[in-house]
């Protein structure tokens, strides 16, 4: 077992480079299945979710070669199955993108129901609604979804909820469908635009990604090229909060400031100074955090994937703040862990009321999911004394080299190994 040990209280200063976007990478890697050729993908983050997705493709027959630490060459020509292995896909939410990609290539797909972060019900009804509209049938047996079509044909699809996953899956299935598909009430996240740009660069015809209406004209064939993934909006946001919470001064490189606007706006409201440049931003904390109300929304609103991190920051604010989670039903599980450190937070359904405190106290805590884990790291960075965080595998799913990156800007953080249970036989 591994845990992070953080001796908090250091002010973070210096420069840090942001990695490629996790949520774009986990969509673009399965999208290479549709290309049925050799693709070179650059700026891939070195994180567990990416390794897992690449492994799933390899198990299906693809050849994946690491050209350097952030560039993969993926040859999907040898894939000759539309079935994704249960053991590999069950732990990862993004494995549901295999449904759209395999359906688009083979007109059939069989994939286990997805896992991933657990914050309430995570239905895929809108994904299936989209597949049906394109002419596919689906059924569930043995914990797997089977989707098949004689021929996929473009159609008008109105998504009842703004869903990143459904928008991506329908795009994937529609890229090679016959005729024109229109997705209305589509999600607008930067990784959706990135996926569309990737597919277009391979020969697809997708218009409107980044707006709520995406139009896709089906094409017969795609061809392999090189493509570079966008920087990670949420990793950048997390380092912005790390700087603010320690009253630090850090410049983040390899970012798209436009993607960070909602986070920048809220941090500015809290008294943090942010200077934007072409592909970098400088964050200067004042040491005082003003109370602030935050509501999560689909893009371009404040991202739900920054909600736990901003909660940690608000714990140190000068008053009472209200945090409204409007995307997920149950994304406040981590609050109990922050309370173990002395945070004053009360949760009622999708609303958290946070009373700012002078300081938190170190305590052993557990990451309950990826961003919850990031929130605990942030709280620990601003807490004098030694905080230990367990279940860090959640954090390593989505943050590349987090120990090295935080250490390089002055944090005292280490990854240590510890025995799960004391083993008398081994000890003797
Ligand atoms: C993606 O999840 C992200 N994951 C999540 O990031 C992120 O929190 C979420 O989008 C919202 O931005 C990946 O990109 C791999 P949704 P996804 O479909 O696609 C409801 C992280 O921390 N819904 O946009 O699963 C759903 O219940 C992760 O990096 C339906 O009702 O999210 C939720 O309330 C965690 N029916 C809302 O829509 C459906 O068919 C948004 O979900 C689909 C979704």
């Amino acid at each position: 077992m591994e845990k992070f040990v953080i001796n908090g209280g250091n002010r973070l200063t210096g420069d840090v480079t942001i990695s490629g976007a996790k949520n774009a990478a986990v969509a673009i890697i399965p999208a290479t299945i549709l290309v049925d050729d050799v693709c070179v993908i650059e700026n891939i983050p070195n994180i567990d979710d990416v390794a897992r997705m690449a492994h799933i493709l390899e198990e299906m027959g693809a050849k994946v070669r690491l050209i350097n630490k952030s560039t993969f060459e993926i040859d999907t020509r040898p894939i000759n199955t539309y079935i994704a292995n249960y053991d590999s896909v069950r732990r990862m939410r993004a494995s549901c993108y295999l449904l759209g990609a395999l359906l688009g290539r083979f007109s059939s797909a069989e994939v286990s129901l997805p896992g991933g972060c657990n914050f309430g019900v995570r239905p895929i009804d809108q994904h299936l609604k989209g597949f049906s509209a394109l002419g596919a049938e689906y059924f569930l047996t043995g914990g797997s979804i089977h989707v098949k079509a004689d021929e996929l044909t473009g159609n008008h699809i109105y998504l009842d909820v703004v869903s990143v996953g459904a928008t991506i899956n329908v795009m994937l299935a529609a890229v090679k469908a016959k005729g024109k598909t229109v997705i209305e009430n589509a999600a607008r996240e930067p990784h959706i635009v990135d996926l569309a740009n990737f597919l277009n660069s391979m020969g697809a015809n997708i218009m409107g990604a980044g707006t709520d209406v995406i139009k896709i004209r089906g094409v017969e064939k795609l061809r392999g090229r090189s493509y570079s993934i966008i920087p990670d909006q949420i990793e950048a946001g997390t380092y912005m909060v790390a700087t603010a919470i320690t009253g630090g001064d850090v410049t983040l490189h390899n970012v798209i400031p436009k993607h960070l606007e909602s986070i920048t706006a809220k941090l500015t409201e809290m008294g943090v100074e942010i200077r934007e440049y072409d592909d970098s931003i400088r964050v200067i904390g004042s040491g005082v955090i003003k109370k602030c109300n935050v509501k999560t929304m689909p893009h371009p609103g404040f991202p739900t994937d920054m909600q736990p991190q901003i909660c940690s920051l608000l714990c140190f604010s000068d008053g009472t703040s209200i945090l409204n989670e409007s995307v997920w039903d149950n994304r406040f599980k981590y609050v109990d862990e922050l309370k173990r450190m002395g945070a004053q937070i009360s949760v009622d359904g999708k609303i958290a009321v946070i009373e700012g405190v002078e300081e938190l106290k170190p305590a052993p805590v557990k990451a309950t999911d990826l961003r919850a884990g990031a929130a605990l790291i942030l709280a620990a960075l601003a807490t004098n004394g030694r905080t230990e965080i367990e279940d860090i595998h959640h954090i390593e799913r989505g943050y590349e080299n987090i120990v090295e990156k935080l250490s390089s800007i002055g944090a005292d953080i280490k990854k240590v190994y510890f025995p799960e249970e004391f083993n008398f036989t081994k000890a003797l």
Side-chain angles (χ1 to χ4, degrees):
M1 295 277 279
E2 296 162 335
K3 61 184 169 187
F4 287 150
V5 175
I6 298 172
N7 285 297
N10 293 359
R11 182 171 174 263
L12 302 188
T13 56
D15 297 77
V16 73
T17 300
I18 299 306
S19 302
K22 166 181 95 80
N23 288 344
V26 295
I28 286 173
I29 295 171
T32 62
I33 294 174
L34 282 169
V35 180
D36 193 7
D37 199 356
V38 183
C39 303
V40 175
I41 318 287
E42 296 164 9
N43 204 30
I44 289 198
N46 183 359
I47 51 173
D48 289 353
D49 269 11
V50 159
R52 205 166 279 142
M53 188 58 95
H55 180 65
I56 295 171
L57 260 65
E58 276 183 325
E59 281 184 332
M60 300 175 77
K63 301 267 176 272
V64 181
R65 194 164 71 87
L66 203 61
I67 294 182
N68 60 46
K69 85 171 191 30
S70 59
T71 306
F72 284 9
E73 182 189 78
I74 307 177
D75 181 357
T76 54
R77 287 171 301 181
I79 293 183
N80 59 9
T81 176
Y82 57 82
I83 301 170
N85 178 296
Y86 166 73
D87 280 334
S88 309
V89 304
R90 72 194 157 90
R91 280 184 298 162
M92 202 180 160
R93 178 72 186 172
S95 59
C96 68
Y97 297 150
L98 294 162
L99 281 172
L102 290 167
L103 183 63
R105 172 149 164 198
F106 296 111
S107 297
S108 284
E110 190 180 321
V111 179
S112 286
L113 277 171
C117 288
N118 176 11
F119 24 74
V121 185
R122 295 189 74 174
I124 59 164
D125 56 300
Q126 297 303 306
H127 307 227
L128 298 174
K129 175 182 172 179
F131 296 150
S132 291
L134 298 176
E137 293 182 334
Y138 60 85
F139 55 99
L140 180 74
T141 47
S144 291
I145 308 262
H146 303 237
V147 197
K148 67 199 271 290
D150 291 334
E151 182 179 57
L152 292 168
T153 312
N155 204 345
H156 254 76
I157 296 151
Y158 176 83
L159 297 178
D160 300 327
V161 287
V162 180
S163 160
V164 170
T167 305
I168 288 179
N169 243 338
V170 177
M171 263 167 69
L172 292 171
V175 156
K176 290 168 124 181
K178 208 170 156 203
K180 185 175 168 187
T181 299
V182 179
I183 309 173
E184 294 194 56
N185 201 25
R188 291 178 281 170
E189 269 64 8
H191 35 290
I192 288 175
V193 181
D194 206 35
L195 174 66
N197 288 342
F198 164 76
L199 289 166
N200 283 342
S201 73
M202 307 284 147
N205 184 346
I206 303 171
M207 284 170 62
T211 75
D212 58 0
V213 182
I214 300 179
K215 295 180 180 156
I216 305 158
R217 271 196 192 281
V219 294
E220 276 195 7
K221 221 178 146 28
L222 303 177
R223 57 190 177 277
R225 295 256 165 108
S226 294
Y227 187 81
S228 183
I229 287 178
I230 52 166
D232 197 303
Q233 174 202 29
I234 305 301
E235 189 198 15
T238 304
Y239 283 92
M240 289 167 82
V241 174
T243 310
I245 209 166
T246 62
D249 181 349
V250 173
T251 300
L252 311 185
H253 300 274
N254 187 36
V255 298
I256 299 177
K258 176 87 187 148
H259 292 170
L260 302 172
E261 269 175 357
S262 59
I263 303 165
T264 298
K266 282 293 154 188
L267 289 180
T268 307
E269 221 176 299
M270 291 179 207
V272 180
E273 184 183 339
I274 305 214
R275 297 187 196 162
E276 293 183 0
Y277 306 98
D278 287 347
D279 58 1
S280 61
I281 56 164
R282 181 169 169 197
V283 184
I284 306 167
S286 65
V288 178
I289 302 298
K290 292 188 203 152
K291 64 181 180 174
C292 180
N293 297 336
V294 181
K295 180 174 183 178
T296 67
M297 308 270 277
H299 191 79
F302 189 87
T304 171
D305 294 344
M306 279 300 298
Q307 181 258 95
Q309 300 91 312
I310 215 75
C311 181
S312 288
L313 183 59
L314 291 172
C315 286
F316 293 92
S317 80
D318 62 1
T320 304
S321 309
I322 295 173
L323 187 49
N324 185 338
E325 169 57 54
S326 87
V327 177
W328 295 108
D329 287 337
N330 187 7
R331 205 174 187 171
F332 284 123
K333 283 191 196 150
Y334 66 90
V335 161
D336 286 339
E337 300 298 308
L338 285 178
K339 281 179 162 175
R340 289 167 55 75
M341 298 177 72
Q344 300 284 318
I345 307 171
S346 55
V347 174
D348 185 5
K350 293 166 101 175
I351 309 258
V353 179
I354 304 152
E355 304 278 352
V357 293
E358 284 284 310
E359 56 172 17
L360 294 182
K361 300 261 189 288
V365 287
K366 283 188 181 187
T368 51
D369 64 58
L370 167 60
R371 308 303 173 188
L376 295 175
I377 291 181
L378 295 169
L381 288 173
T383 299
N384 289 318
R386 176 184 163 110
T387 300
E388 298 189 0
I389 304 174
E390 287 183 27
D391 289 347
I392 60 171
H393 59 277
H394 288 296
I395 303 170
E396 292 181 330
R397 279 187 41 220
Y399 287 93
E400 176 172 320
N401 293 338
I402 192 159
V403 170
E404 292 77 3
K405 286 190 185 186
L406 283 172
S407 302
S408 75
I409 47 177
D412 182 346
I413 172 169
K414 285 187 186 60
K415 180 165 150 178
V416 299
Y417 299 82
F418 67 99
E420 200 165 350
E421 284 171 15
F422 187 73
N423 185 328
F424 281 99
T425 322
K426 268 194 183 163
L428 286 171

